[in-house]
Amino acid sequence: MVTRKIAVIATAVAVVACAAWVFVGRSGPSAPAAGRSQPDIARLSAALPFYALLHAPSERQWRIAEAERRLAITCMAAHGFRYTPAAVPRPSAATADHPLPFGLESLTADTAAPAPAASERQESKAFLAALYGPADRRISAKGKSIKVSWPAEGCQAEAEKRLLGSERPRWLQVRIELGEGEQQARENLDKDPSFRTANARWARCALAAGVESDDPVHLLNSLPRDTDFATSPVAKADVRCKSDTGYLRTAYTRLAVVQQAWIDAHPAVLTSWRSLMQRQDGLARGVLG
């Protein structure tokens, strides 16, 4: 089973950040591209301005997440509950995923549907109330196309408050704005002349191989969900034409330019992001000792 869009996301920001991307399992150094010589896709993806903000695993993000986990455990213990969430994995090459905004990049990538997260055992209402607070006490933030809410009370909220104080609503808002900015940049790319030319070259190559489509994303979305990319003539033509026309290098290079243009046009969002990340990291270091 092929998973084209991640449906189960850990946090609200991930819902927003992933809205513009097509996902097909994990792509990275362990999943070499098929066909002829391909550019270093992982490097091109890592060069995207939004990758560092929303997708790249980092020690700073690990410290923040791990500090919140430990604070929540301590808080729950104070309420008389044993709370045992899994430790946050340290960032490494094995944990680095990158979105696939241009459809398939390889025929050998892991295309299996992600395993569902292990469900927590049935807990008492008192346990859940201690962890997440009353169901009617929430903070919320709204973007142009999405609104999300988060617990205002409970041990999870208290852990976040230790690192953010009264800035929790602003942090949620900034994450939404960045996620929607990434989506908007991808939509803006469709107007870019160089990218449009790359799509046209790819389409001519695909048509010569007997595949008719305007661009790789439309092609991928037109395939049956149980398609085996490794044996599909259509998928093979897609990946080969990307290689033959230099499609991915052009696409990622132009996307980086368009993303940077969005960031340059919204400097306050980036300033807030950096300030709030720095605040959380500094306090997380103290929690972790």
Side-chain angles (χ1 to χ4, degrees):
M1 179 67 69
V2 175
T3 299
R4 292 191 175 86
K5 291 181 185 283
I6 298 296
V8 180
I9 305 296
T11 64
V13 65
V15 173
V16 180
C18 295
W21 307 95
V22 175
F23 284 79
V24 188
R26 186 179 72 205
S27 178
S30 61
R36 300 184 184 181
S37 174
Q38 290 275 32
D40 184 350
I41 304 303
R43 180 182 59 80
L44 290 171
S45 178
L48 295 176
F50 276 105
Y51 178 80
L53 297 174
L54 299 178
H55 304 290
S58 69
E59 284 291 321
R60 179 172 62 177
Q61 291 173 335
W62 174 83
R63 284 191 293 269
I64 293 170
E66 180 63 11
E68 288 182 355
R69 186 186 76 92
R70 297 185 190 182
L71 287 169
I73 291 173
T74 301
C75 174
M76 289 294 284
H79 284 78
F81 296 105
R82 184 171 182 269
Y83 179 49
T84 57
V88 180
R90 298 295 288 261
S92 67
T95 62
D97 296 342
H98 77 262
L100 306 181
F102 308 111
L104 292 176
E105 295 179 354
S106 168
L107 301 178
T108 57
D110 177 12
T111 57
S119 59
E120 295 183 5
R121 68 181 186 274
Q122 189 67 33
E123 298 289 359
S124 67
K125 290 182 179 179
F127 179 98
L128 296 176
L131 183 58
Y132 299 118
D136 60 347
R137 298 297 302 274
R138 313 277 292 182
I139 61 172
S140 63
K142 185 177 181 180
K144 293 181 179 179
S145 60
I146 189 173
K147 180 179 180 180
V148 297
S149 66
W150 217 242
E153 298 179 5
C155 284
Q156 184 59 52
E158 291 302 318
E160 295 173 4
K161 289 176 185 177
R162 276 284 299 275
L163 305 187
L164 281 164
S166 62
E167 295 289 344
R168 288 181 73 226
R170 177 56 183 158
W171 175 239
L172 191 58
Q173 184 68 44
V174 168
R175 288 160 64 159
I176 290 175
E177 291 174 1
L178 281 176
E180 289 189 332
E182 183 181 33
Q183 181 176 356
Q184 184 62 57
R186 178 61 184 86
E187 293 173 1
N188 292 344
L189 180 65
D190 290 332
K191 306 171 187 177
D192 181 82
S194 296
F195 181 63
R196 292 169 67 92
T197 298
N199 274 326
R201 285 198 304 266
W202 175 91
R204 288 193 296 270
C205 175
L207 186 60
V211 177
E212 185 174 359
S213 183
D214 293 335
D215 61 66
V217 172
H218 282 99
L219 174 64
L220 177 61
N221 288 334
S222 72
L223 294 176
R225 297 190 66 83
D226 60 351
T227 298
D228 180 358
F229 297 145
T231 60
S232 167
V234 175
K236 290 180 179 179
D238 173 22
V239 174
R240 179 180 61 79
C241 284
K242 283 184 172 120
S243 176
D244 289 352
T245 64
Y247 180 87
L248 291 175
R249 184 179 300 279
T250 298
Y252 272 108
T253 300
R254 296 309 302 167
L255 180 58
V257 173
V258 175
Q259 285 190 357
Q260 189 61 53
W262 188 94
I263 290 174
D264 290 343
H266 301 81
V269 179
L270 184 59
T271 298
S272 293
W273 171 268
R274 287 173 172 167
S275 174
L276 292 172
M277 283 293 288
Q278 183 176 3
R279 170 185 175 140
Q280 292 178 89
D281 188 32
L283 293 172
R285 290 173 184 269
V287 171
L288 300 178

